[in-house]
């Protein structure tokens, strides 16, 4: 069931995510965000007042995908005996749950900014991702790496 939900969400969000990514990259790199329509008309890709709604849709989808991944990893953890997970695999599954929670937290922050900030702060909702995720993952994986070494967990197959 969780796989079906994940597939649906990914299929549903592919085009809006590509569109938003293209728009944000154009804005950040100074490339024009104007589009040339048939008939010679030139318009903006999106109007500034549409950005918060677009960011809310993106952040909602990102949050939903992060939650589904967290649920998938929790399901695997609950089935660890049937899956014959060793101590390293259990640890890595728990690390993946934490990473999904970090992704979800970044999406939730972005969603709040998009919904509360309006057109004035709509762009900030997109900038939150690199600001939050970069440092959060650096700290998280550093701490988890130290914990893994302290517990003496290594790959059983020498990988």
């Amino acid at each position: 069931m969780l796989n079906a939900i994940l597939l649906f969400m990914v299929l549903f969000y592919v085009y809006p995510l590509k569109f938003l990514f293209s728009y944000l990259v154009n804005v950040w790199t100074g490339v024009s965000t104007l589009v040339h329509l048939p008939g010679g008309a030139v318009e903006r890709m999106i109007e500034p007042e549409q950005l918060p709604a677009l960011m809310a849709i993106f952040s909602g989808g990102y949050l939903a995908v992060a939650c589904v991944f967290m649920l998938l990893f929790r399901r695997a953890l609950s089935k660890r005996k049937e899956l014959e997970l060793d101590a390293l695999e259990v640890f890595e599954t728990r690390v993946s749950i934490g990473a999904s929670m970090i992704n979800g937290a970044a999406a939730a922050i972005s969603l709040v900014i998009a919904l509360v900030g309006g057109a004035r702060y709509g762009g900030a909702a997109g900038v939150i991702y690199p600001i939050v995720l970069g440092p959060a993952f650096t700290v998280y994986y550093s701490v988890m790496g130290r914990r893994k070494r302290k517990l003496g967990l290594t790959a059983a197959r020498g990988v």
Side-chain angles (χ1 to χ4, degrees), residues 132-149:
V132 170
L133 293 179
F137 279 129
T138 299
V139 170
Y140 180 69
Y141 283 114
S142 294
V143 169
M144 292 298 109
R146 273 187 251 122
R147 188 172 293 168
K148 181 179 173 181
R149 285 187 296 280

Side-chain angles (χ1 to χ4, degrees), residues 34-71:
L34 300 175
V35 289
H36 300 275
L37 302 175
V42 177
E43 293 188 17
R44 294 178 185 168
M45 282 176 100
I46 65 167
E47 296 298 324
E49 61 273 3
Q50 295 173 317
L51 188 57
L54 189 57
M55 284 307 306
I57 291 168
F58 172 83
S59 296
Y62 196 101
L63 178 60
V65 169
C67 288
V68 169
F69 272 111
M70 186 177 61
L71 292 171

